[in-house]
């Protein structure tokens, strides 16, 4: 039951995005009024239309999950990546500031260079190595430069979950057809289940968290470990072999280590994100069987 006094949240990317869809579900579950905005509902690059849309709907909060997320393709399309990851959040930030709307924007572990040996916290120095990471960091900085009173930037990583294809779903589709798979073992990150990220985002909103937060499931894994755990959870007969990144060349440079520290979130909300393996099993059992 949604109360008419519940906060109204506009979720950009809520119709089709991997995170956007889970975020809409979590907000609705929390009893908040949710307006899901997809590509066909509004041209986000038409300032006048976006302004009119905001004035029409009068949201309390905008959550921006829209991004250029094709990490390798971004190396060939830096302008388009910048348009979505840098200029769009900046424009949204200006409109939100004029109307005193709270803005929640999502960013990435790819703002780091991956040379650390311990988890990155919100204040750790950034040094993106790819067009995707550089444009996402430019989006963060543009928003911070606007001086919004109520800005929340949530950096997350390695997303899997229902509603859109993702690494885990792709691995399981391949594993169902093959006797073995080779997966890189020299990149370590924070696998994150989108329904968990969405629930934690709602808790962060309730706690009125502002600034930069890292939000991921607890624990870390290599891509090979994540793939192996998914294959095991699904009970498939497929061997997962570790390979170094140079045996799986990709256009964009990835951080070798991008585990995110969620302490700031836990200190504010009292919530410790659950382990990624528990979340992975829930995903496989509930959504992939
Ligand atoms: N996926 C990850 O592993 C990961 C890791 C770290 C951080 N993040 C960040 O988390 C956030 C959510 O990522 P995600 O994986 O949920 O993204 P996603 O599934 O790729 O969804 C992106 C959304 O943006 C929309 N979009 C893309 N280009 C658009 C355009 N030109 N005009 C209008 N809408 C457009 C897409 O709409 P269509 O479906 O119509 O294209 C989709 O709804 C992003 O900020 C991303 O940078 C993601």
């Amino acid at each position: 039951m949604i109360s008419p006094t519940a906060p109204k949240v506009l979720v950009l990317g809520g119709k089709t995005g991997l995170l956007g869809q889970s975020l809409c579900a979590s907000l609705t579950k929390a009893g908040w009024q949710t307006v899901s905005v997809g590509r066909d509902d509004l041209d986000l690059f038409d300032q006048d239309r976006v302004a009119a849309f905001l004035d029409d709907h009068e949201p309390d909060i905008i959550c921006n999950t829209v991004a250029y997320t094709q990490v390798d393709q971004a190396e060939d399309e830096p302008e388009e990546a910048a348009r979505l990851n840098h200029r769009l959040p900046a424009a949204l930030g200006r409109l939100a500031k004029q109307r005193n709307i709270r803005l929640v924007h999502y960013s990435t572990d790819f703002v780091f260079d991956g040379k650390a040996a311990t988890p990155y916290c919100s204040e750790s120095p950034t040094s993106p190595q790819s067009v995707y990471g550089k444009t996402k960091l430019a989006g963060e900085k543009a928003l911070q430069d606007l001086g919004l009173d109520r800005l929340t930037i949530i950096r997350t990583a390695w997303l899997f979950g229902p509603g859109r294809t993702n690494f885990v779903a792709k691995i399981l589709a391949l594993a169902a057809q093959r006797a073995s798979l080779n997966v890189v073992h020299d990149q370590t990150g924070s696998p994150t289940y989108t329904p968990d990220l969405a629930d934690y985002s709602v808790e962060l909103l309730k706690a009125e968290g502002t600034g930069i937060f890292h939000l991921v499931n607890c624990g870390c894994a290599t891509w090979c470990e994540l793939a192996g755990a998914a294959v095991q959870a699904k009970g498939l007969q497929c061997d997962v072999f570790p390979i170094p990144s140079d045996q799986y060349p990709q256009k964009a440079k990835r951080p070798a280590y991008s585990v995110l520290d969620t302490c700031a979130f836990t200190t504010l909300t009292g919530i410790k994100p659950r382990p990624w393996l528990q979340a992975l099993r829930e995903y496989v059992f509930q959504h992939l069987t």
Side-chain angles (χ1 to χ4, degrees):
M1 181 68 175
I2 293 172
S3 151
T5 57
K8 190 184 221 187
V9 189
L10 224 60
V11 181
L12 308 181
K15 290 265 169 74
T16 56
L18 182 60
L19 172 60
Q21 294 175 76
S22 287
L23 194 53
C24 288
S26 292
L27 289 162
T28 305
K29 189 173 66 180
W32 293 21
Q33 303 176 69
T34 308
V35 181
S36 170
V37 183
R39 203 187 270 264
D40 298 334
D41 301 313
L42 177 66
D43 177 358
L44 292 172
F45 296 96
D46 185 330
Q47 285 282 294
D48 293 342
R49 290 210 176 177
V50 178
F53 195 87
L54 294 179
D55 294 337
D56 195 19
H57 287 274
E58 297 187 317
D60 301 292
I61 303 166
I62 300 171
C63 291
N64 179 37
T65 73
V66 168
Y68 187 108
T69 55
Q70 301 303 310
V71 174
D72 292 308
Q73 206 173 309
E75 299 295 314
D76 293 324
E77 294 188 339
E79 258 310 304
E80 184 62 2
R83 192 170 82 102
L84 277 143
N85 294 344
H86 176 190
R87 291 199 290 282
L88 175 63
L92 290 171
R94 284 190 289 274
L95 292 169
K97 187 176 183 181
Q98 287 161 5
R99 291 161 179 78
N100 196 27
I101 300 171
R102 179 170 189 163
L103 181 61
V104 178
H105 176 71
Y106 287 87
S107 191
T108 172
D109 55 328
F110 279 38
V111 298
F112 298 113
D113 62 17
K115 293 178 184 151
T118 53
Y120 288 100
C121 58
S122 314
E123 301 79 32
S124 298
T126 52
S127 176
Q129 301 292 300
S130 60
V131 167
Y132 170 69
K134 284 176 188 164
T135 56
K136 291 294 291 184
L137 182 63
E140 285 186 16
K141 287 193 185 303
L143 283 172
Q144 288 175 306
D145 288 349
L146 285 172
L148 289 147
D149 288 336
R150 297 189 301 151
L151 170 66
T152 309
I153 293 173
I154 299 176
R155 292 193 189 127
T156 190
W158 291 34
L159 299 184
F160 63 90
R164 193 169 179 129
T165 194
N166 58 79
F167 174 80
V168 171
K170 283 181 196 162
I171 285 291
L172 291 180
L174 286 171
Q177 297 164 4
R178 296 196 194 165
S180 70
L181 289 175
N182 296 333
V183 184
V184 297
H185 74 92
D186 52 5
Q187 291 168 28
T188 302
S190 303
T192 302
Y193 187 40
T194 43
D196 284 359
L197 171 60
D199 283 348
Y200 301 146
S201 298
V202 174
E203 293 304 325
L204 195 52
L205 279 169
K206 285 184 190 162
E208 307 250 318
T210 56
I212 299 180
F213 289 87
H214 289 176
L215 261 187
V216 289
N217 278 115
C218 161
C220 63
T222 66
W223 289 115
C224 185
E225 287 165 345
L226 177 57
V231 167
Q232 195 180 27
K234 186 91 167 58
L236 294 171
Q237 297 302 311
C238 175
D239 293 321
V240 179
F241 295 118
I243 54 162
S245 301
D246 58 16
Q247 282 183 29
Y248 186 72
Q250 290 175 295
K251 197 139 195 175
K253 192 170 173 202
R254 268 107 171 132
Y257 179 93
S258 62
V259 180
L260 300 181
D261 179 330
T262 55
C263 274
F265 167 73
T266 300
T267 302
L268 182 70
T269 62
I271 297 167
K272 186 167 165 40
R274 67 170 163 164
W276 65 263
L277 184 56
Q278 204 181 331
L280 175 74
R281 289 182 180 141
E282 182 177 310
Y283 173 50
V284 172
F285 298 149
Q286 286 191 2
H287 297 281
L288 298 177
T289 46

XYZ file of all heavy atoms in Angstrom, residues 200-287:
684
model
N 19.760 -1.715 -0.261
C 20.703 -0.898 0.518
C 20.603 0.577 0.090
O 20.766 1.478 0.919
C 22.141 -1.403 0.339
C 22.362 -2.848 0.755
C 23.279 -3.664 0.085
C 21.657 -3.416 1.818
C 23.490 -4.983 0.462
C 21.857 -4.742 2.193
C 22.768 -5.524 1.505
O 22.981 -6.832 1.869
N 20.322 0.806 -1.181
C 20.167 2.197 -1.650
C 18.977 2.857 -0.955
O 19.039 4.031 -0.562
C 19.950 2.237 -3.163
O 21.047 1.706 -3.856
N 17.886 2.099 -0.796
C 16.697 2.648 -0.117
C 17.057 2.974 1.336
O 16.665 4.029 1.870
C 15.503 1.658 -0.192
C 14.331 2.161 0.642
C 15.070 1.450 -1.640
N 17.831 2.090 1.985
C 18.236 2.353 3.375
C 19.103 3.615 3.453
O 18.978 4.406 4.388
C 19.000 1.148 3.954
C 18.154 -0.095 4.118
C 16.905 0.122 4.983
O 16.977 0.907 5.949
O 15.864 -0.484 4.663
N 19.956 3.792 2.462
C 20.804 4.991 2.422
C 19.943 6.252 2.252
O 20.201 7.285 2.871
C 21.800 4.857 1.259
C 22.998 5.777 1.215
C 23.780 5.765 2.523
C 23.902 5.376 0.052
N 18.913 6.140 1.441
C 17.992 7.266 1.261
C 17.259 7.577 2.561
O 17.122 8.741 2.939
C 16.959 6.931 0.171
C 17.434 7.112 -1.263
C 16.443 6.507 -2.235
C 17.604 8.598 -1.557
N 16.806 6.516 3.243
C 16.092 6.730 4.517
C 17.003 7.417 5.533
O 16.553 8.234 6.316
C 15.638 5.387 5.094
C 14.438 4.765 4.386
C 14.038 3.490 5.122
C 13.018 2.681 4.359
N 12.937 1.292 4.832
N 18.294 7.063 5.490
C 19.254 7.650 6.433
C 19.757 9.011 5.949
O 20.594 9.633 6.615
C 20.428 6.701 6.635
N 19.239 9.482 4.801
C 19.611 10.793 4.247
C 21.123 10.921 4.025
O 21.703 11.994 4.255
C 19.146 11.919 5.183
C 17.681 11.849 5.533
C 16.863 12.956 4.900
O 17.330 14.103 4.887
O 15.761 12.641 4.387
N 21.747 9.831 3.602
C 23.189 9.867 3.353
C 23.536 10.774 2.180
O 22.938 10.657 1.110
N 24.484 11.680 2.393
C 24.951 12.515 1.276
C 26.463 12.346 1.115
O 27.149 12.000 2.075
C 24.637 14.014 1.494
O 25.218 14.412 2.731
C 23.144 14.284 1.508
N 26.946 12.571 -0.106
C 28.360 12.383 -0.404
C 28.554 11.099 -1.190
O 27.609 10.592 -1.809
N 29.771 10.585 -1.163
C 30.077 9.367 -1.928
C 30.033 8.151 -1.001
O 30.644 8.152 0.075
C 31.472 9.455 -2.583
C 31.523 10.629 -3.566
C 31.819 8.151 -3.301
C 32.858 10.798 -4.274
N 29.293 7.131 -1.421
C 29.241 5.868 -0.686
C 29.625 4.725 -1.616
O 29.303 4.760 -2.809
C 27.815 5.609 -0.151
C 27.431 6.519 0.971
C 26.876 7.767 0.701
C 27.642 6.156 2.288
C 26.546 8.637 1.733
C 27.310 7.016 3.335
C 26.754 8.259 3.059
N 30.275 3.721 -1.059
C 30.530 2.481 -1.791
C 29.495 1.462 -1.336
O 29.329 1.233 -0.132
C 31.941 1.964 -1.501
C 33.000 2.813 -2.136
N 34.350 2.598 -1.945
C 32.907 3.863 -2.995
C 35.043 3.478 -2.652
N 34.185 4.272 -3.290
N 28.792 0.863 -2.287
C 27.744 -0.116 -1.953
C 27.907 -1.365 -2.807
O 27.644 -1.346 -4.018
C 26.363 0.504 -2.225
C 25.615 1.069 -1.029
C 24.211 1.478 -1.413
C 25.566 0.067 0.104
N 28.350 -2.433 -2.167
C 28.547 -3.728 -2.844
C 28.228 -4.819 -1.829
O 28.164 -4.550 -0.627
C 30.019 -3.889 -3.327
C 30.331 -2.973 -4.497
C 31.010 -3.657 -2.185
N 28.082 -6.048 -2.294
C 27.971 -7.161 -1.354
C 29.321 -7.348 -0.661
O 30.362 -6.924 -1.165
C 27.536 -8.446 -2.064
C 26.029 -8.503 -2.281
O 25.563 -8.486 -3.422
N 25.267 -8.557 -1.214
N 29.266 -8.024 0.484
C 30.466 -8.244 1.285
C 31.349 -9.334 0.642
O 30.834 -10.250 -0.008
C 29.972 -8.625 2.670
S 31.068 -9.436 3.720
N 32.638 -9.230 0.827
C 33.568 -10.232 0.299
C 34.106 -9.825 -1.055
O 33.708 -8.797 -1.606
N 35.023 -10.619 -1.575
C 35.580 -10.315 -2.889
C 35.778 -11.613 -3.665
O 35.689 -12.698 -3.091
C 36.892 -9.554 -2.758
S 38.188 -10.480 -1.927
N 36.020 -11.487 -4.952
C 36.217 -12.674 -5.802
C 36.942 -12.262 -7.067
O 36.934 -11.085 -7.449
C 34.860 -13.283 -6.173
N 37.539 -13.246 -7.716
C 38.022 -13.023 -9.076
C 36.866 -13.409 -10.008
O 35.915 -14.084 -9.595
C 39.242 -13.906 -9.397
O 38.812 -15.274 -9.404
C 40.356 -13.712 -8.377
N 36.978 -13.017 -11.280
C 35.928 -13.408 -12.237
C 35.816 -14.932 -12.292
O 34.742 -15.501 -12.418
C 36.228 -12.853 -13.632
C 36.057 -11.365 -13.755
C 37.029 -10.443 -14.005
C 34.832 -10.611 -13.630
N 36.494 -9.175 -14.027
C 35.155 -9.251 -13.811
C 33.506 -10.959 -13.368
C 34.199 -8.228 -13.748
C 32.541 -9.942 -13.306
C 32.895 -8.607 -13.496
N 36.995 -15.596 -12.189
C 37.012 -17.052 -12.253
C 36.289 -17.659 -11.045
O 35.503 -18.610 -11.185
C 38.468 -17.524 -12.307
S 38.624 -19.278 -12.540
N 36.521 -17.082 -9.868
C 35.836 -17.584 -8.663
C 34.329 -17.347 -8.753
O 33.524 -18.206 -8.376
C 36.395 -16.894 -7.413
C 37.790 -17.377 -7.048
C 38.515 -16.482 -6.048
O 38.077 -15.320 -5.834
O 39.534 -16.920 -5.515
N 33.950 -16.188 -9.272
C 32.512 -15.886 -9.410
C 31.868 -16.865 -10.397
O 30.785 -17.418 -10.123
C 32.337 -14.436 -9.884
C 30.913 -13.961 -10.154
C 30.014 -14.113 -8.927
C 30.922 -12.486 -10.604
N 32.549 -17.116 -11.508
C 32.012 -18.046 -12.508
C 31.905 -19.454 -11.924
O 30.876 -20.137 -12.076
C 32.919 -18.061 -13.744
N 32.957 -19.883 -11.222
C 32.967 -21.219 -10.631
C 31.843 -21.386 -9.617
O 31.154 -22.424 -9.585
N 31.629 -20.361 -8.798
C 30.576 -20.425 -7.781
C 29.191 -20.483 -8.440
O 28.288 -21.185 -7.964
C 30.674 -19.212 -6.860
N 29.024 -19.764 -9.533
C 27.726 -19.767 -10.231
C 27.455 -21.142 -10.846
O 26.343 -21.683 -10.731
C 27.714 -18.682 -11.304
N 28.479 -21.712 -11.472
C 28.342 -23.042 -12.095
C 28.002 -24.094 -11.029
O 27.135 -24.942 -11.222
C 29.639 -23.404 -12.864
C 29.667 -24.873 -13.251
C 29.781 -22.523 -14.104
N 28.672 -23.975 -9.885
C 28.416 -24.919 -8.786
C 26.988 -24.732 -8.234
O 26.279 -25.713 -8.006
C 29.441 -24.687 -7.682
C 29.489 -25.827 -6.684
C 30.508 -25.575 -5.588
O 30.814 -24.432 -5.263
N 31.022 -26.651 -5.033
N 26.584 -23.489 -8.042
C 25.236 -23.229 -7.501
C 24.162 -23.797 -8.425
O 23.126 -24.294 -7.973
C 25.039 -21.728 -7.312
N 24.422 -23.746 -9.724
C 23.433 -24.225 -10.703
C 23.542 -25.734 -10.894
O 22.676 -26.355 -11.519
C 23.663 -23.480 -12.033
C 22.651 -23.731 -13.122
C 21.534 -22.700 -13.040
C 20.624 -22.636 -14.236
N 19.918 -23.748 -14.660
N 24.628 -26.333 -10.353
C 24.807 -27.788 -10.464
C 25.161 -28.248 -11.866
O 24.805 -29.352 -12.277
N 25.895 -27.395 -12.619
C 26.267 -27.761 -13.992
C 27.586 -28.534 -14.012
O 28.458 -28.321 -13.154
C 26.403 -26.496 -14.854
C 25.105 -25.716 -15.083
C 25.392 -24.378 -15.746
C 24.130 -26.536 -15.926
N 27.708 -29.420 -14.981
C 28.944 -30.193 -15.136
C 29.850 -29.444 -16.113
O 29.860 -29.721 -17.301
C 28.634 -31.595 -15.699
C 27.767 -32.447 -14.788
C 28.390 -32.636 -13.413
O 29.552 -32.977 -13.306
N 27.607 -32.392 -12.364
N 30.550 -28.453 -15.616
C 31.451 -27.679 -16.481
C 32.654 -27.263 -15.640
O 32.478 -26.689 -14.558
C 30.708 -26.435 -17.007
S 31.734 -25.313 -17.969
N 33.848 -27.568 -16.132
C 35.061 -27.159 -15.407
C 35.349 -25.692 -15.721
O 35.270 -25.279 -16.879
C 36.250 -28.011 -15.843
C 36.080 -29.464 -15.410
O 35.575 -29.684 -14.290
O 36.411 -30.363 -16.209
N 35.695 -24.943 -14.687
C 36.053 -23.532 -14.888
C 37.545 -23.389 -14.592
O 37.976 -23.587 -13.464
C 35.217 -22.609 -13.969
C 35.610 -21.153 -14.181
C 33.727 -22.807 -14.236
N 38.320 -23.085 -15.647
C 39.776 -22.988 -15.503
C 40.220 -21.531 -15.437
O 39.731 -20.689 -16.205
C 40.473 -23.666 -16.690
C 40.222 -25.153 -16.746
C 39.568 -25.725 -17.825
C 40.651 -25.983 -15.703
C 39.340 -27.094 -17.881
C 40.423 -27.354 -15.756
C 39.765 -27.913 -16.834
N 41.171 -21.238 -14.538
C 41.693 -19.868 -14.450
C 42.671 -19.555 -15.578
O 43.498 -20.399 -15.928
C 42.418 -19.856 -13.091
C 42.759 -21.282 -12.804
C 41.772 -22.150 -13.540
N 42.551 -18.363 -16.130
C 43.532 -17.891 -17.124
C 43.934 -16.453 -16.781
O 43.145 -15.724 -16.172
C 42.991 -17.923 -18.586
C 41.656 -17.152 -18.694
C 42.876 -19.334 -19.117
C 41.291 -16.771 -20.118
N 45.144 -16.045 -17.183
C 45.514 -14.639 -16.980
C 44.801 -13.737 -17.991
O 44.398 -14.199 -19.072
C 47.032 -14.639 -17.213
C 47.314 -15.864 -18.011
C 46.230 -16.857 -17.751
N 44.651 -12.464 -17.632
C 43.935 -11.508 -18.508
C 44.530 -11.430 -19.903
O 43.807 -11.185 -20.872
C 43.975 -10.108 -17.902
O 43.390 -10.106 -16.648
N 45.861 -11.627 -20.019
C 46.453 -11.474 -21.362
C 46.053 -12.618 -22.303
O 46.270 -12.535 -23.505
C 47.984 -11.275 -21.297
C 48.701 -12.417 -20.612
O 48.089 -13.494 -20.457
O 49.871 -12.230 -20.224
N 45.428 -13.647 -21.750
C 44.892 -14.704 -22.636
C 43.433 -14.422 -23.028
O 42.806 -15.211 -23.729
C 44.982 -16.063 -21.943
C 46.385 -16.631 -21.980
C 46.455 -18.027 -21.363
O 45.493 -18.785 -21.386
N 47.614 -18.340 -20.810
N 42.876 -13.316 -22.505
C 41.514 -12.906 -22.872
C 41.550 -11.394 -23.113
O 41.063 -10.601 -22.314
C 40.530 -13.270 -21.745
C 39.076 -13.013 -22.103
C 38.410 -13.817 -23.015
C 38.375 -11.944 -21.522
C 37.080 -13.568 -23.346
C 37.049 -11.701 -21.849
C 36.413 -12.516 -22.751
O 35.096 -12.264 -23.070
N 42.175 -10.988 -24.236
C 42.376 -9.550 -24.456
C 41.057 -8.799 -24.597
O 40.138 -9.268 -25.265
C 43.165 -9.496 -25.774
C 43.555 -10.891 -26.096
C 42.652 -11.808 -25.356
N 40.982 -7.677 -23.922
C 39.808 -6.802 -23.999
C 40.297 -5.387 -24.285
O 41.406 -5.023 -23.888
C 39.033 -6.841 -22.671
C 38.322 -8.178 -22.433
C 37.672 -8.247 -21.067
O 38.348 -8.219 -20.048
N 36.358 -8.343 -21.027
N 39.464 -4.628 -24.986
C 39.900 -3.301 -25.431
C 40.179 -2.350 -24.257
O 41.162 -1.630 -24.264
C 38.814 -2.706 -26.333
C 39.324 -1.557 -27.144
C 38.803 -1.601 -28.553
C 39.614 -0.673 -29.412
N 39.260 -0.726 -30.810
N 39.278 -2.358 -23.281
C 39.449 -1.428 -22.152
C 40.307 -2.065 -21.066
O 40.176 -3.259 -20.792
C 38.088 -1.067 -21.565
N 41.159 -1.232 -20.458
C 41.979 -1.723 -19.352
C 41.109 -1.791 -18.091
O 40.390 -0.840 -17.774
C 43.143 -0.749 -19.136
C 44.199 -1.298 -18.233
C 45.439 -0.408 -18.241
C 46.404 -0.910 -17.179
N 47.338 0.107 -16.758
N 41.141 -2.925 -17.406
C 40.374 -3.105 -16.179
C 41.284 -3.027 -14.955
O 42.440 -3.463 -15.031
C 39.707 -4.495 -16.161
C 38.313 -4.509 -16.740
C 38.297 -5.167 -18.089
N 36.926 -5.369 -18.553
C 36.490 -5.055 -19.750
N 37.304 -4.499 -20.627
N 35.242 -5.294 -20.104
N 40.746 -2.533 -13.822
C 41.567 -2.554 -12.611
C 41.832 -3.988 -12.165
O 40.916 -4.820 -12.179
C 40.716 -1.808 -11.574
C 39.380 -1.540 -12.193
C 39.420 -1.950 -13.624
N 43.073 -4.303 -11.785
C 43.388 -5.666 -11.329
C 42.733 -5.941 -9.983
O 42.399 -7.083 -9.666
C 44.897 -5.833 -11.213
N 42.542 -4.871 -9.197
C 41.939 -5.028 -7.867
C 41.014 -3.839 -7.636
O 41.467 -2.680 -7.676
C 43.046 -5.045 -6.804
C 42.524 -5.173 -5.390
C 42.386 -6.410 -4.780
C 42.160 -4.038 -4.651
C 41.905 -6.530 -3.472
C 41.678 -4.143 -3.354
C 41.562 -5.387 -2.779
O 41.083 -5.505 -1.497
N 39.728 -4.086 -7.455
C 38.809 -2.946 -7.270
C 37.767 -3.259 -6.204
O 36.598 -2.891 -6.340
C 38.138 -2.575 -8.591
O 37.364 -3.669 -9.070
N 38.199 -3.935 -5.151
C 37.278 -4.251 -4.053
C 36.908 -2.949 -3.338
O 37.772 -2.105 -3.096
C 37.940 -5.243 -3.063
C 36.997 -5.572 -1.918
C 38.350 -6.513 -3.811
N 35.622 -2.778 -3.061
C 35.149 -1.534 -2.445
C 34.828 -1.741 -0.967
O 34.238 -2.763 -0.583
C 33.914 -1.010 -3.185
C 34.105 -0.675 -4.672
C 32.802 -0.133 -5.275
C 35.240 0.337 -4.874
N 35.211 -0.764 -0.175
C 34.982 -0.784 1.276
C 33.650 -0.082 1.557
O 33.462 1.079 1.170
C 36.154 -0.028 1.936
C 36.036 0.045 3.436
O 34.899 0.064 3.961
O 37.086 0.103 4.100
N 32.740 -0.779 2.249
C 31.396 -0.225 2.480
C 31.235 0.345 3.898
O 30.109 0.549 4.356
C 30.324 -1.313 2.256
O 30.636 -2.434 3.106
C 30.275 -1.778 0.824
N 32.340 0.618 4.577
C 32.278 1.074 5.976
C 31.400 2.316 6.163
O 30.650 2.404 7.134
C 33.675 1.390 6.493
S 34.448 -0.084 7.118
N 31.504 3.276 5.251
C 30.744 4.529 5.417
C 29.244 4.228 5.429
O 28.482 4.794 6.229
C 31.083 5.507 4.293
N 28.820 3.303 4.577
C 27.405 2.905 4.532
C 27.003 2.223 5.843
O 25.959 2.527 6.430
C 27.169 1.962 3.340
C 25.853 1.260 3.361
C 24.671 1.935 3.081
C 25.780 -0.091 3.672
C 23.445 1.279 3.118
C 24.563 -0.765 3.704
C 23.387 -0.076 3.426
N 27.845 1.309 6.328
C 27.529 0.567 7.556
C 27.503 1.502 8.759
O 26.614 1.397 9.615
C 28.557 -0.570 7.765
O 28.476 -1.444 6.631
C 28.265 -1.366 9.018
N 28.436 2.443 8.811
C 28.468 3.386 9.931
C 27.174 4.207 9.968
O 26.600 4.433 11.028
C 29.690 4.333 9.787
O 30.854 3.518 9.740
C 29.795 5.309 10.936
N 26.699 4.619 8.796
C 25.499 5.460 8.758
C 24.219 4.671 9.016
O 23.331 5.141 9.732
C 25.401 6.161 7.390
C 24.216 7.115 7.227
C 24.415 8.361 8.094
C 24.018 7.528 5.776
N 24.118 3.488 8.452
C 22.832 2.760 8.494
C 22.814 1.612 9.496
O 21.744 1.104 9.833
C 22.521 2.148 7.111
O 23.564 1.209 6.791
C 22.438 3.210 6.029
N 23.981 1.174 9.945
C 24.043 0.004 10.833
C 23.891 -1.308 10.074
O 23.814 -2.377 10.675
N 23.866 -1.234 8.735
C 23.667 -2.445 7.930
C 25.001 -2.907 7.340
O 25.721 -2.104 6.736
C 22.675 -2.170 6.783
C 21.308 -1.810 7.347
C 22.570 -3.368 5.832
C 20.369 -1.219 6.320
N 25.274 -4.204 7.509
C 26.458 -4.774 6.852
C 25.972 -5.589 5.655
O 25.176 -6.533 5.838
C 27.218 -5.669 7.839
C 28.534 -6.173 7.276
C 29.401 -6.777 8.370
C 30.554 -7.610 7.848
N 31.266 -7.129 6.692
N 26.377 -5.234 4.441
C 25.913 -6.002 3.278
C 26.222 -7.488 3.424
O 27.254 -7.858 3.998
C 26.692 -5.384 2.115
C 26.997 -3.996 2.563
C 27.215 -4.100 4.048
N 25.313 -8.322 2.914
C 25.543 -9.766 3.066
C 26.584 -10.258 2.048
O 26.827 -9.600 1.026
C 24.220 -10.533 2.904
C 23.633 -10.493 1.522
C 22.485 -11.481 1.421
N 21.665 -11.196 0.259
C 20.802 -12.056 -0.252
N 20.628 -13.241 0.286
N 20.089 -11.733 -1.305
N 27.139 -11.446 2.282
C 28.184 -11.958 1.381
C 27.659 -12.188 -0.037
O 26.513 -12.611 -0.225
C 28.582 -13.285 2.029
C 28.157 -13.185 3.456
C 26.938 -12.315 3.461
N 28.516 -11.933 -1.010
C 28.111 -12.069 -2.419
C 27.706 -13.508 -2.740
O 26.805 -13.737 -3.555
C 29.211 -11.591 -3.367
C 30.480 -12.384 -3.361
C 31.612 -12.096 -2.659
C 30.766 -13.600 -4.082
N 32.565 -13.054 -2.889
C 32.074 -13.982 -3.757
C 30.044 -14.396 -4.963
C 32.681 -15.132 -4.283
C 30.644 -15.543 -5.497
C 31.933 -15.902 -5.159
N 28.338 -14.498 -2.064
C 28.037 -15.900 -2.396
C 26.600 -16.252 -2.012
O 25.903 -16.950 -2.758
C 29.038 -16.822 -1.685
C 28.918 -18.306 -2.001
C 29.033 -18.569 -3.495
C 29.999 -19.104 -1.256
N 26.166 -15.744 -0.871
C 24.775 -15.958 -0.432
C 23.809 -15.326 -1.457
O 22.813 -15.926 -1.848
C 24.627 -15.278 0.922
C 23.527 -15.804 1.793
C 23.499 -14.994 3.101
O 24.503 -14.478 3.569
N 22.324 -14.877 3.660
N 24.142 -14.121 -1.882
C 23.295 -13.409 -2.854
C 23.301 -14.137 -4.206
O 22.271 -14.257 -4.869
C 23.804 -11.980 -3.013
N 24.474 -14.650 -4.582
C 24.585 -15.371 -5.865
C 23.673 -16.599 -5.864
O 22.975 -16.865 -6.846
C 26.040 -15.787 -6.088
C 26.272 -16.654 -7.330
C 26.191 -15.820 -8.602
C 27.627 -17.359 -7.272
N 23.697 -17.339 -4.741
C 22.856 -18.550 -4.659
C 21.385 -18.172 -4.761
O 20.612 -18.843 -5.439
C 23.144 -19.295 -3.355
C 24.517 -19.949 -3.382
C 24.781 -20.731 -2.108
N 26.098 -21.336 -2.151
C 26.920 -21.430 -1.123
N 26.556 -20.964 0.057
N 28.088 -22.007 -1.251
N 21.011 -17.081 -4.110
C 19.607 -16.643 -4.195
C 19.239 -16.305 -5.647
O 18.181 -16.690 -6.140
C 19.390 -15.412 -3.307
C 17.944 -14.929 -3.323
C 17.735 -13.751 -2.391
O 18.139 -13.811 -1.215
O 17.152 -12.751 -2.862
N 20.143 -15.620 -6.332
C 19.897 -15.265 -7.739
C 19.713 -16.517 -8.593
O 18.750 -16.634 -9.359
C 21.064 -14.413 -8.248
C 21.030 -14.109 -9.731
C 19.879 -13.595 -10.339
C 22.158 -14.318 -10.530
C 19.869 -13.309 -11.700
C 22.145 -14.027 -11.883
C 21.000 -13.525 -12.466
O 20.975 -13.244 -13.810
N 20.640 -17.461 -8.428
C 20.581 -18.677 -9.252
C 19.306 -19.483 -8.933
O 18.592 -19.904 -9.841
C 21.859 -19.528 -9.046
C 21.719 -20.881 -9.734
C 23.077 -18.788 -9.587
N 19.000 -19.650 -7.650
C 17.845 -20.481 -7.280
C 16.524 -19.797 -7.620
O 15.574 -20.430 -8.061
C 17.880 -20.846 -5.790
C 19.085 -21.672 -5.406
C 19.658 -21.580 -4.147
C 19.670 -22.559 -6.318
C 20.783 -22.329 -3.803
C 20.789 -23.318 -5.983
C 21.343 -23.200 -4.732
N 16.457 -18.491 -7.409
C 15.171 -17.798 -7.604
C 14.934 -17.337 -9.035
O 13.794 -17.206 -9.455
C 15.081 -16.583 -6.674
C 14.839 -16.958 -5.234
C 14.496 -15.750 -4.374
O 14.395 -14.629 -4.860
N 14.330 -15.985 -3.089
N 16.000 -17.056 -9.755
C 15.792 -16.433 -11.070
C 16.335 -17.236 -12.245
O 16.004 -16.943 -13.386
C 16.423 -15.036 -11.090
C 15.796 -14.098 -10.117
N 14.594 -13.462 -10.353
C 16.190 -13.707 -8.886
C 14.284 -12.705 -9.311
N 15.231 -12.841 -8.410
